[in-house]
Amino acid sequence: MKLATLNDGTRDGQLAVVARDLKTAVVADGIAPTLQRALDDWAFIAPQLDQLSRQLNDGKARRTFEFEPRRCMAPLPRAFQWADGSAYVNHVELVRKTRNAELPASFWQEPLMVRGGSDDLLGPLDDIVVADEAWGIDFEAKVAVVTDDVPMGATPDEAFGQIRLLMLANDVSLRNLVPDELAKGFGFFQSKPATSFSPVAVTPDELGDAWRDAKLHLPLRSTWNGRLVGQPNAGVDMVFNFAQLLAHAARTRRLRAGSIVGSGTVSNQNVKKGYSCIAEKRSLETIADGKSVTSFMAYGDTIRIEMLDGDGKSLFGAIEQTVRPTGYVPPAPPVSAEKPE
Amino acid sequence: MKLATLNDGTRDGQLAVVARDLKTAVVADGIAPTLQRALDDWAFIAPQLDQLSRQLNDGKARRTFEFEPRRCMAPLPRAFQWADGSAYVNHVELVRKTRNAELPASFWQEPLMVRGGSDDLLGPLDDIVVADEAWGIDFEAKVAVVTDDVPMGATPDEAFGQIRLLMLANDVSLRNLVPDELAKGFGFFQSKPATSFSPVAVTPDELGDAWRDAKLHLPLRSTWNGRLVGQPNAGVDMVFNFAQLLAHAARTRRLRAGSIVGSGTVSNQNVKKGYSCIAEKRSLETIADGKSVTSFMAYGDTIRIEMLDGDGKSLFGAIEQTVRPTGYVPPAPPVSAEKPE
């Protein structure tokens, strides 16, 4: 099934079940008010949501309505954990080269993992608000899973069984704030503004054969200002699969239901597949020509992140964000020539 | 007022108001079911909780009961953010010396901040469960604030006005896992198991003069296996106050209500004040004698963290934890000689 969170003015929004084709939806408030509440008691709630999903997909659900991504918050508008692994080590190696940082050999043996802010996760169409364009605004296209409870010390197999949902993420970085932060030795903080997520979160069974070996074997499409700049396959060159990422995260502590764990920026060694973040493109330019020519994002820039199934249908809906300065007020719509009688 | 979360078998527990002397409490379920829900709508909820608190302290509340810290979960058993600043730069400098890591000059100008796992926060009497005693188990005594919504780019003064509650924390570290993690350059992950918090969270007005300049000017007492090993004053040598820590955290993103921000391990330059973590003691030993003699915690070790007011009364109640291996089962209580007739 596919689940979305509709913006109803509350902090956690309202849980909705969305049809497989993303055309219609139905509010699930009779089953669970929010996605977190569903995850808190998944074994009991999921079968009920699944039944509603079947009715919706069969055209038998009542009180359905048109599904509009612009009404969506992140599937989890706030979460108790958002940890991102760097599973595509190729990406890490490329980005490090640009800042002349060495890649420790351990990166190929053990996942690198960083916690992001999870108190404020953005909806798929929310603006990327950045106070200073000079901070080096970059998108980062990722795949993420949402877990049930994972016990401390879980094996990858055990952890795999606790994956409940998958989503896409745009985990924006402020590249020009990174070097000073990493120099302190404790990782990113200010260089990571709020992350946005796809309109829907989907259960693994919706993905069919594309979900195997705890990897999602489909191209992740990044379209920057209307130009397709990346379509690396998320199942290729993923050095650590989601089961391994979860086991890594749970080595010394439990993960509680609703934890989000990301794949890291999706990246293929085949450069023809393009890029899922600008830093990688700049690295390739630097390696080839001694300098980077592609600039980071500017105010007004748009980024669209989407994944299509084998038939060209959108699986998660699209993240479509625009970069805006703090306090941006959209222009008023044109006044209609018609006047009330 | 003082607020606690009682373990009622749910993930978020039940909100209770606790008397100033920590002797009695009253369930606040008629006002807000959980502390997070209270924080979500603080302007509306807090005055009601405050009224109940006054009744309780005046001996006029109904359905009161004895306050038992063993029934407590963390005030926020799970939170949407747990970010820790290293405000006592003295501590950072000492601990870095032990691992021969340099202290960048920027550490004195700008806070260092790290996100911890917030999906699983421990109650004050919960065991510290660690799979391997050889991981270098260390306590870390800290002060933490809980915020309301803080806008992106807030000044320290603006952020200060959004502080709603204070708590104590034991932010355990696994010291022997730290070097390999920090070598990767992205900060701590597995080296930070679950953090525990004091029985109650208190509003700033409960602290009187001790809460000034956005610092808490009282000794933080750490008692390891029954021996008082540290009582540094949390208001002394705090290089960045909580207002500055919050402004740092909110520079590129909003903080949403219920975010927890920590002070870092409390440490005074006056070594007679003892230590709030073993790593610091070991550093001092290494500096003095070329080697450390104090071992990290062993299974069965206890740590008590508490703060007393000027009259010797406990402000937050005590964190009292025991280190245990995974799967530890407490011995059965002795069978009573008395038998039912």
Side-chain angles (χ1 to χ4, degrees), chain A residues 40 78 120 190 252 254, chain B residues 40 78 120 190 252 254:
Chain A
D40 283 349
R78 49 184 185 172
D120 187 27
Q190 293 180 337
T252 63
R254 305 184 290 182
Chain B
D40 284 349
R78 49 184 186 173
D120 188 27
Q190 293 180 337
T252 63
R254 304 184 289 183

Side-chain angles (χ1 to χ4, degrees), chain A residues 11-12 36-37 39-41 78-81 83-84 86 92 96 99 104 106-107 110-122 129-131 135 148-149 152 174 177 180-195 247-257 259 326, chain B residues 11-12 36-37 39-41 78-81 83-84 86 92 96 99 104 106-107 110-122 129-131 135 148-149 152 174 177 180-195 247-257 259 326:
Chain A
R11 291 178 183 270
D12 294 306
Q36 182 63 52
R37 292 280 281 278
L39 287 159
D40 283 349
D41 197 9
R78 49 184 185 172
F80 297 108
Q81 177 155 235
D84 188 41
S86 291
V92 182
R96 290 216 162 196
R99 26 171 228 271
S106 66
F107 278 34
E110 198 183 58
L112 187 67
M113 197 163 270
V114 174
R115 270 197 198 87
S118 56
D119 59 315
D120 187 27
L121 305 177
L122 301 182
V129 178
V130 180
W135 284 346
D148 204 326
D149 292 324
M152 191 191 303
L174 302 172
L177 301 186
D180 280 356
E181 286 209 310
L182 290 194
K184 292 181 183 177
F186 278 18
F188 308 104
F189 201 98
Q190 293 180 337
S191 49
K192 299 300 288 186
T195 308
H248 182 85
R251 185 175 173 220
T252 63
R253 55 187 302 146
R254 305 184 290 182
L255 311 183
R256 305 311 304 272
S259 288
T326 310
Chain B
R11 292 177 182 270
D12 295 306
Q36 182 62 52
R37 292 280 280 278
L39 289 158
D40 284 349
D41 197 9
R78 49 184 186 173
F80 297 108
Q81 179 155 237
D84 187 43
S86 291
V92 182
R96 290 216 163 198
R99 25 170 230 272
S106 66
F107 277 34
E110 197 182 59
L112 186 67
M113 197 163 270
V114 173
R115 269 197 199 88
S118 56
D119 59 316
D120 188 27
L121 304 177
L122 300 183
V129 178
V130 180
W135 284 346
D148 204 326
D149 292 324
M152 190 190 304
L174 302 173
L177 301 186
D180 281 356
E181 286 209 309
L182 290 193
K184 293 180 180 178
F186 278 18
F188 307 104
F189 202 98
Q190 293 180 337
S191 48
K192 298 300 286 183
T195 308
H248 182 87
R251 185 176 172 220
T252 63
R253 56 186 304 147
R254 304 184 289 183
L255 311 183
R256 304 312 303 273
S259 288
T326 310

Side-chain angles (χ1 to χ4, degrees), chain B residues 55-86:
Chain B
Q55 290 169 352
L56 179 64
N57 283 320
D58 292 346
K60 289 176 182 162
R62 291 177 168 198
R63 286 188 287 186
T64 62
F65 51 88
E66 184 191 351
F67 178 62
E68 295 171 283
R70 67 172 178 80
R71 288 184 58 197
C72 287
M73 304 171 84
L76 288 169
R78 49 184 186 173
F80 297 108
Q81 179 155 237
W82 160 221
D84 187 43
S86 291

